[in-house]
Amino acid sequence: MGFADLLDEVGGFGRYQWIHVTLISLPGLLMASQNLLNNFVSGIPAHHCRLPANHSLYNLSLYQVTRLTPRYVEPQWQLLAANSSANVSQLQTEDCADGWTFDRSEFLATTVSEWDLVCSLRPLKQMIQTIYMGGVLTGAIIYGGLSDRFGRRSVLIWSYLQLGVLGCSSALSPSYSTYCIFRFLSGMAVSGVILNGVSLKVEWIPTKARTLVGTLTSFFFTFGQMILAGLAYWLRDWRKLQVVVCAPQFLFFAYSWWYSESARWLVLNRRSEDALKSLHRVARINGKPEMIDKLTLEVLHSHMNKEMESSRSSFTAYDLLRTRGMRRISICLIAVWFSTSFAYYGLAMDLQKFGVSIYLMQIIFGAVDFPAKLFALGMLSYLGRRVSQATCLFLSALIIFANIFVPTDMQTIRTTLACLGKGFTSASFTTVYLYTGELYPTVIRQTGMGFVSTMARVGSMAAPAVLILDEVLPALPSIVYGGAAVLAGCFACFLPETLNVPLPDTIEDVEEKCESDVREEEENTLNTSHHINSPQTNVKGNRV
């Protein structure tokens, strides 16, 4: 008997779980906005050198002046000819001495137009996203450990407040440097929201409901991508957009006090009385008031006696690699998290390259997640986590490789394949979030989630840098993205299966499961070998 049995006794997946999961999932609508915000906040409008003060002396139209940009040291009048084919590569140019003029038809204002992040300063535009992802990485390390020490609920509540305050403050940034600092701190809060939200959901959900709930709640993130496109199209001003996607965090902060702390975590941290109160509250909301008298401290301890005896007060990242089973799980998950994020953000963070409206492209990229995640749900339910994880990675790699052989002028096909690739990487994200929460034990679940998800942030930071390789060989970025996905798919094959398996509470539970899997594999191998080498019989029953 374990905690899973207690959950069934207090109502299983009842009214409390429905409310609990919904409230924790709602912020997911705006987590996509945070991660993909740079596509719009730092969009690059069409631009040209600002017209010189004396341009009217030449009676030049706006078109004629923009034909003369970039700024040439000497006027190149031949470029104004309708069918000019002059070689401009050898012409001497200079910086725009009068600044830049930005087209306002697609974006009213972005960080690029605000601080002239073009030409030699163009790398600073992508640096904003890299710094933000650095914050997400830092938050995964810090908040993962803190939540195992101070609780999922406390760190989640703080993360909502931090994201609301610092996210809105970033809209008031007077300089590029200030904005980058606010985005870094906002990224830390995003990690706190995502990681603690996942754990707090998983630890209150019965075993059989985890697959369905985990996949369906990921659609909040999918809807969020489409909401971001609508908000960006409506506002078109980076400061207003920044405020609108961050201000709702104050609402989430206000109602997050309703959450109950994970009873699993409370028991394993010697706070059994608080755990009992939480279970009584859940039983009352689920319509099981008779369980309040039946569920006592003695009953609670009898269900979790083994876990309490083997638990310790604190764990570190070292414990993730200390034993054979934990080491195997952690190494495989590092590869899966890195490659999934690496390929995902490589495809999702450069929407302007597709030659389609960036707002439409964002909606398409969001919509493709629906069939991909339903596909993942089917696999997770019937084929298990391991097969689903490996399949999503292998299919995304296959599509990325296929795009290499499509000519650049066939833009529709290339865009379609990119959308499919993004869909499978998104399905891989859905799977790995659920899978990781099921693989790590309660006593170190958040530390584990934080540890392996740091590799996802490393992948998201490295993804834009790989795009530079297309100057060496256009196919090189796709080869790198696809190769990483293939490698991670191979690692996923070595993870233990968790379909319909109760959540582990201690490291010893994980080791027992891994040893059991190894023995089962060895027995299957021996049986297969024995079957192959055993004497065969013909149809008459004679040995041959």
Side-chain angles (χ1 to χ4, degrees):
M1 297 179 69
F3 188 79
D5 300 301
L6 282 179
L7 280 182
D8 290 333
E9 291 178 11
V10 296
F13 195 82
R15 186 184 301 119
Y16 173 82
Q17 278 74 14
W18 277 107
I19 300 173
H20 178 78
V21 167
T22 302
L23 292 180
I24 292 181
S25 300
L26 279 175
L29 292 171
L30 295 174
M31 288 304 103
S33 297
Q34 295 294 333
N35 290 340
L36 303 175
L37 192 61
N38 208 50
N39 277 334
F40 302 97
V41 166
S42 298
I44 304 177
H47 54 279
H48 58 79
C49 290
R50 185 170 292 132
L51 304 183
N54 61 348
H55 79 279
S56 58
L57 296 177
Y58 299 101
N59 293 319
L60 298 178
S61 66
L62 176 61
Y63 167 78
Q64 290 173 322
V65 173
T66 55
R67 278 287 285 155
L68 292 176
T69 57
R71 285 285 295 273
Y72 298 102
V73 174
E74 298 292 336
Q76 305 297 321
W77 303 109
Q78 71 275 16
L79 296 180
L80 298 182
N83 297 316
S84 173
S85 59
N87 183 9
V88 298
S89 61
Q90 304 299 321
L91 299 179
Q92 187 177 358
T93 62
E94 62 181 358
D95 292 334
C96 291
D98 301 301
W100 296 89
T101 295
F102 293 90
D103 179 72
R104 292 166 60 87
S105 60
E106 189 171 28
F107 305 103
L108 292 178
T110 69
T111 59
V112 172
S113 61
E114 180 97 9
W115 296 305
D116 289 346
L117 306 182
V118 293
C119 289
S120 62
L121 297 181
R122 184 165 181 167
L124 295 181
K125 175 253 187 186
Q126 194 55 53
M127 183 60 68
I128 295 173
Q129 182 68 14
T130 301
I131 290 172
Y132 166 77
M133 285 299 177
V136 176
L137 186 154
T138 305
I141 297 172
I142 294 176
Y143 289 147
L146 288 178
S147 60
D148 276 332
R149 177 169 296 185
F150 299 108
R152 287 79 163 106
R153 177 178 176 271
S154 300
V155 178
L156 181 58
I157 291 173
W158 168 258
S159 298
Y160 288 143
L161 181 61
Q162 179 178 335
L163 184 54
V165 172
L166 298 177
C168 291
S169 297
S170 63
L172 306 175
S173 301
S175 66
Y176 173 84
S177 300
T178 305
Y179 181 67
C180 287
I181 292 172
F182 279 128
R183 285 299 286 161
F184 178 87
L185 296 173
S186 296
M188 289 181 61
V190 167
S191 263
V193 171
I194 293 176
L195 295 179
N196 288 284
V198 169
S199 286
L200 201 56
K201 277 190 293 187
V202 165
E203 292 176 4
W204 276 112
I205 297 174
T207 302
K208 293 183 179 180
R210 287 202 309 261
T211 302
L212 182 63
V213 173
T215 305
L216 291 181
T217 53
S218 72
F219 282 111
F220 282 85
F221 190 92
T222 300
F223 276 115
Q225 297 178 61
M226 304 172 77
I227 289 173
L228 173 62
L231 291 174
Y233 183 81
W234 169 46
L235 296 170
R236 306 205 181 203
D237 181 292
W238 75 272
R239 293 184 187 272
K240 293 178 181 177
L241 181 60
Q242 188 77 49
V243 170
V244 167
V245 299
C246 294
Q249 301 301 323
F250 292 109
L251 172 63
F252 304 143
F253 168 76
Y255 73 59
S256 62
W257 296 90
W258 182 87
Y259 300 155
S260 292
E261 179 58 88
S262 166
R264 292 174 183 269
W265 179 86
L266 289 169
V267 171
L268 295 177
N269 282 270
R270 303 296 189 267
R271 293 173 57 183
S272 299
E273 293 82 1
D274 293 332
L276 191 62
K277 290 179 183 178
S278 293
L279 287 167
H280 285 171
R281 179 180 181 229
V282 171
R284 186 166 54 253
I285 295 174
N286 282 345
K288 297 278 187 177
E290 69 278 5
M291 289 304 302
I292 295 177
D293 294 328
K294 295 180 181 178
L295 188 54
T296 63
L297 279 177
E298 291 73 19
V299 173
L300 178 61
H301 289 164
S302 67
H303 278 75
M304 300 194 68
N305 185 55
K306 175 186 172 183
E307 291 82 356
M308 292 175 64
E309 289 179 354
S310 59
S311 66
R312 296 186 296 172
S313 58
S314 64
F315 291 85
T316 65
Y318 167 74
D319 294 285
L320 299 172
L321 303 171
R322 180 168 56 88
T323 60
R324 180 181 177 183
M326 294 293 290
R327 187 161 52 246
R328 171 183 169 186
I329 288 171
S330 296
I331 291 173
C332 291
L333 285 176
I334 283 172
V336 172
W337 277 87
F338 175 86
S339 298
T340 298
S341 183
F342 187 58
Y344 181 92
Y345 286 102
L347 293 168
M349 284 308 304
D350 195 15
L351 300 185
Q352 288 185 288
K353 70 181 178 182
F354 292 103
V356 181
S357 166
I358 187 173
Y359 305 104
L360 177 60
M361 205 61 222
Q362 182 65 64
I363 291 176
I364 294 173
F365 261 35
V368 75
D369 283 4
F370 286 100
K373 289 183 176 181
L374 289 174
F375 173 72
L377 174 60
M379 288 197 300
L380 285 167
S381 301
Y382 297 103
L383 300 180
R385 279 56 161 153
R386 179 168 51 197
V387 172
S388 301
Q389 189 71 74
T391 300
C392 289
L393 286 165
F394 286 138
L395 286 175
S396 64
L398 179 65
I399 292 171
I400 291 171
F401 286 143
N403 223 350
I404 296 174
F405 303 100
V406 179
T408 54
D409 58 339
M410 301 178 69
Q411 196 63 46
T412 302
I413 296 178
R414 290 179 63 84
T415 302
T416 301
L417 288 176
C419 289
L420 289 174
K422 190 262 183 183
F424 283 117
T425 55
S426 181
S428 179
F429 253 134
T430 300
T431 304
V432 77
Y433 266 111
L434 175 64
Y435 205 2
T436 303
E438 293 177 340
L439 285 168
Y440 281 126
T442 303
V443 294
I444 199 171
R445 182 167 292 121
Q446 279 305 95
T447 299
M449 289 281 289
F451 178 73
V452 296
S453 67
T454 58
M455 295 309 299
R457 310 316 160 197
V458 173
S460 61
M461 293 169 68
V466 174
L467 295 173
I468 301 174
L469 297 177
D470 66 355
E471 297 180 4
V472 180
L473 179 67
L476 205 51
S478 295
I479 293 173
V480 176
Y481 292 138
V486 169
L487 186 63
C490 294
F491 273 99
C493 295
F494 292 97
L495 288 167
E497 182 54 65
T498 59
L499 178 63
N500 292 329
V501 175
L503 286 178
D505 285 312
T506 67
I507 292 177
E508 288 72 18
D509 290 342
V510 174
E511 294 305 311
E512 289 178 9
K513 176 67 168 63
C514 289
E515 289 175 6
S516 174
D517 288 346
V518 170
R519 287 195 299 268
E520 185 177 340
E521 290 172 4
E522 290 176 350
E523 290 174 1
N524 290 337
T525 302
L526 288 173
N527 291 336
T528 303
S529 176
H530 176 73
H531 177 73
I532 293 174
N533 296 325
S534 62
Q536 302 294 311
T537 58
N538 59 22
V539 293
K540 295 181 179 181
N542 299 321
R543 294 178 61 171
V544 295

